[in-house]
Amino acid sequence: MKRLSTNRLPWNAVSLLLITATILTCPVAGQDGTSGVSASRAQVTFTRVMPGPIWDDADCSHGVNWVDYNGDGYADLYFPHWFLDRAHANTLFTNDGSGDFTKVTSGPVVFDVHSIDASWADFDNDGDIDCFACSPPTGTGARPNYMYVNNGDGSFTKLTAGSVATDAGMSVSATWGDFDNDGDVDLLVGNHCPPPCTGGLGPFYYRNDIDSLARVGRELIGLPNGDFAYHSVCDFDDDGDLDIVYRRDERSNLVYRNNGDGTFVNDNTPAFAADSSIGFSWADYDNDGDFDLLETGGADCRLYKNTDGIFSRVPLEAFNPGASTWLSGAWGDYDNDGDLDVVITSFTGYFAPRPNALMENNGDGTFTKVVTGPVATDMEASLAAAWGDYDRDGDLDLVVANNNYYHNAFYLNGGNDNAWLDVICEGALSNRSGIGARVRIVATIAGQIVRQCREITSQSSLFSQAPMEAHFGLGDATSVDSVLVEWPSGLTDTLLGVSANQVLAVIEGQSLDSDGDGILGLDDNCPFVYNPGQEDTDGVPPGDSCCCHRYSGNANNDPDDKVNISDVSHVLAYLFGIPSGPPPACPAEGNANGDPDSKVNISDVSYLLAYLFGIPSGPPPPACP
């Protein structure tokens, strides 16, 4: 596996005018008896950086994207610009890896104007990320959107042909995702239909077919016409495919579950379907393994807890950012204590700025609103926010996109002593960007076993994109017991005993190439050394499709991983009740050689002896009988 440098990068203090404030995190209590964290108070200082390239971008930023467009391991910044009917060019800033940004001044990606949202992903699976930007209508009528293909050398080519480059609508949101799980990312574009909406285009859906994006009729995949504005994508029902929730102007939300093949069916049963929202942000805030939902777009935010697929609203006494018009919610464990905090932008109009809200997760299902420091007290026309570890020092920094000619806000996280882990996912059978992959970790924090989960996405919240990686706070943990990456392909990579405080790049299948031939195949999905991520838990493919078992090619999982006399001894000892380790049972088969009786009996002993002495008695006892 690859590791990236984690050295803290110095800032040039002489060139920066700094506004600093100290924020003390709240003590964290045990949560639900299983996922709680108990951490000491860890001081975190946010510093707003000004002047500087990000501060100088005082224009009309409508969104923000953290993207490593040049592949050097450091997150760059892209700001779509839009304000009413006025023309504003988008801006791209290259992270130079030494603590500063440089504004890109050439190329179509920064020459084009009037973008309200953007989303980045490696749509052609060539190792670099490409960009789609939404361009809503102006007073002169509908405008086509922008599609930029990354050339791999820091430059972009703007597509001018094909439906993805020529379709014109009122496009306001975009998300990449492998909705049909075929190994490349498709594109979903939301089109707004202001009231009174008497028709509406519905969404633009572009299916990716070998590096070619072709628009597919919405009716063919089960999506409706009408207003399909600000949407969000997440596998919230945990069935291995990406689902959709979106806002209809001044009406209730719509929820569409993925059938598993890139077609969708409407489901109005979740509690949040009855709301009328603008923004949606998914996160496992309570560390119970499923994804909860933060809704924005009204006088209050609504946080919904997911309990085995049933959503219930968290009461205001547990989560209450106060009264405002809340717009975009960005999740991130900024204090690295093992639970997710959230910052929410407050947008009450271009000309009436209010402070944003920073909500500290207490670890017991409740949040405390932070009321001091620049993140919580700056007042600007904020639309979008995104966390990202720009300097690779292990803590999350924050960028807020401000409109109406306010300076964009870049907050540097001063960090603390808590440990961390960043996981970057590179698909092989799955899409190269790893979008849709679930990253789960288990670590012991403050004496408790804590499980955390993230999903790689191209849209972290409304008008914003966080880096396509999974950041975990680890508190006082020095290592992670296990890292599981569940890929859209159905495969699972499992890494055990991972050191803390590193950037870990996981390539799909790296823990599965058990025969070392460099080729990932079904036989590799049953490793010769037992790997819990590959165990057959349900007997249903894919992932463990050839009935992997915990004995991996022998009968007792002894260290040599060979079939020898010790396996025979183990089976005999088990049959006669002599303790000698775990039973020689395959969870899927229940015996050592896969005979029809599915029992451990004398036939298994005979089979092993015959195999050892070269007596034909059937095929050898392989890892996948």
Side-chain angles (χ1 to χ4, degrees):
M1 69 196 72
K2 298 180 289 185
R3 288 179 174 84
L4 303 179
S5 171
T6 60
N7 294 329
R8 187 174 180 83
L9 301 174
W11 276 81
N12 184 348
V14 176
S15 65
L16 300 176
L17 173 62
L18 305 178
I19 297 177
T20 62
T22 298
I23 297 174
L24 298 179
T25 62
C26 301
V28 183
Q31 179 176 309
D32 296 336
T34 58
S35 59
V37 182
S38 179
S40 61
R41 296 172 68 88
Q43 181 172 301
V44 174
T45 301
F46 282 105
T47 300
R48 182 163 182 177
V49 180
M50 60 182 193
I54 309 306
W55 167 268
D56 294 341
D57 190 27
D59 201 326
C60 293
S61 296
H62 203 277
V64 57
N65 307 92
W66 285 104
V67 290
D68 182 11
Y69 81 92
N70 56 9
D72 65 353
Y74 292 91
D76 312 297
L77 278 170
Y78 185 67
F79 293 93
H81 284 180
W82 181 85
F83 182 62
L84 304 177
D85 286 340
R86 302 173 188 178
H88 299 270
N90 304 324
T91 51
L92 175 64
F93 296 90
T94 302
N95 185 339
D96 63 13
S98 63
D100 209 350
F101 291 92
T102 301
K103 186 175 182 177
V104 176
T105 58
S106 62
V109 75
V110 296
F111 280 169
D112 285 326
V113 300
H114 209 72
S115 295
I116 198 169
D117 190 27
S119 185
W120 296 68
D122 185 0
F123 94 97
D124 48 8
N125 284 339
D126 65 350
D128 46 49
I129 59 174
D130 314 289
C131 177
F132 179 88
C134 298
S135 183
T138 65
T140 58
R143 299 167 54 92
N145 298 308
Y146 306 126
M147 179 69 208
Y148 307 105
V149 179
N150 194 326
N151 298 320
D153 59 1
S155 66
F156 294 84
T157 297
K158 180 181 177 180
L159 294 186
T160 58
S163 56
V164 73
T166 59
D167 284 342
M170 191 169 183
S171 299
V172 293
S173 59
T175 308
W176 297 94
D178 188 1
F179 297 99
D180 51 8
N181 278 350
D182 65 349
D184 48 34
V185 288
D186 314 297
L187 178 64
L188 182 66
V189 180
N191 289 308
H192 190 25
C193 180
C197 185
T198 58
L201 293 171
F204 291 156
Y205 179 82
Y206 300 95
R207 180 169 290 156
N208 194 343
D209 184 16
I210 313 178
D211 307 342
S212 176
L213 294 167
R215 182 176 166 188
V216 176
R218 52 169 179 73
E219 67 279 359
L220 299 179
I221 59 172
L223 294 178
N225 64 355
D227 187 43
F228 191 109
Y230 310 115
H231 66 274
S232 183
V233 168
C234 176
D235 181 14
F236 66 81
D237 54 6
D238 200 22
D239 63 352
D241 48 48
L242 294 173
D243 311 297
I244 302 168
V245 58
Y246 71 92
R247 177 251 186 144
R248 292 186 299 174
D249 196 72
E250 298 181 352
R251 291 182 290 169
S252 59
N253 303 322
L254 283 181
V255 182
Y256 278 80
R257 295 184 188 263
N258 195 325
N259 295 319
D261 57 1
T263 64
F264 301 87
V265 60
N266 178 231
D267 179 11
N268 62 3
T269 59
F272 56 83
D275 298 334
S276 179
S277 306
I278 294 179
F280 310 92
S281 304
W282 297 93
D284 182 17
Y285 83 90
D286 52 0
N287 287 343
D288 66 350
D290 49 33
F291 282 79
D292 314 292
L293 177 63
L294 173 66
E295 287 184 329
T296 56
D300 65 330
C301 290
R302 295 170 291 274
L303 178 61
Y304 284 90
K305 175 180 170 58
N306 184 349
T307 304
D308 298 325
I310 304 299
F311 289 85
S312 57
R313 183 173 177 180
V314 175
L316 284 177
E317 55 266 27
F319 181 84
N320 185 10
S324 187
T325 301
W326 303 108
L327 193 62
S328 181
W331 293 94
D333 186 0
Y334 78 86
D335 50 8
N336 282 338
D337 64 353
D339 49 44
L340 286 168
D341 316 296
V342 65
V343 64
I344 315 163
T345 61
S346 174
F347 187 78
T348 54
Y350 295 105
F351 308 104
R354 290 188 179 182
N356 301 317
L358 177 61
M359 305 295 292
E360 165 66 24
N361 192 332
N362 298 323
D364 59 359
T366 69
F367 291 78
T368 297
K369 185 175 181 178
V370 176
V371 295
T372 61
V375 174
T377 59
D378 285 348
M379 294 180 60
E380 288 148 330
S382 301
L383 280 92
W387 299 95
D389 183 9
Y390 101 100
D391 50 3
R392 288 301 186 198
D393 65 350
D395 48 52
L396 293 176
D397 311 295
L398 178 67
V399 169
V400 178
N402 292 321
N403 206 278
N404 193 20
Y405 304 99
Y406 283 93
H407 297 279
N408 286 325
F410 178 28
Y411 301 102
L412 178 65
N413 189 331
N416 54 31
D417 293 332
N418 286 340
W420 55 275
L421 179 72
D422 275 346
V423 181
I424 299 175
C425 299
E426 180 180 320
L429 299 180
S430 304
N431 68 88
R432 187 75 173 264
S433 295
I435 292 172
R438 290 276 178 92
V439 185
R440 302 181 189 272
I441 71 164
V442 180
T444 301
I445 303 176
Q448 300 184 51
I449 296 175
V450 178
R451 294 173 171 83
Q452 300 183 57
C453 181
R454 308 284 188 266
E455 183 171 280
I456 306 300
T457 180
S458 71
Q459 181 206 48
S460 53
S461 60
L462 184 66
F463 304 135
S464 64
Q465 179 174 0
M468 287 185 288
E469 58 193 54
H471 175 88
F472 299 94
L474 299 177
D476 62 355
T478 58
S479 66
V480 176
D481 300 331
S482 60
V483 176
L484 273 73
V485 181
E486 300 168 352
W487 300 93
S489 67
L491 297 176
T492 299
D493 274 292
T494 303
L495 295 88
L496 306 178
V498 176
S499 298
N501 300 329
Q502 66 162 309
V503 178
L504 180 69
V506 180
I507 300 174
E508 184 177 11
Q510 71 179 51
S511 72
L512 303 181
D513 184 15
S514 53
D515 55 11
D517 62 359
I519 301 173
L520 181 63
L522 287 178
D523 55 332
D524 292 317
N525 214 31
C526 300
F528 296 114
V529 178
Y530 171 58
N531 183 336
Q534 281 24 277
E535 185 177 334
D536 184 7
T537 57
D538 58 8
V540 178
D544 45 15
S545 56
C546 51
C547 94
C548 306
H549 59 81
R550 63 189 313 127
Y551 299 99
S552 304
N554 55 42
N556 70 331
N557 199 30
D558 54 16
D560 59 13
D561 288 322
K562 295 181 176 67
V563 178
N564 53 34
I565 198 65
S566 66
D567 301 290
V568 178
S569 301
H570 182 78
V571 174
L572 286 170
Y574 175 76
L575 286 174
F576 290 99
I578 303 171
S580 62
C586 164
E589 296 295 324
N591 53 38
N593 70 330
D595 55 15
D597 60 14
S598 294
K599 296 181 176 67
V600 180
N601 52 34
I602 199 66
S603 68
D604 299 289
V605 178
S606 301
Y607 178 85
L608 290 171
L609 286 170
Y611 175 75
L612 285 172
F613 291 98
I615 303 171
S617 61
C624 299

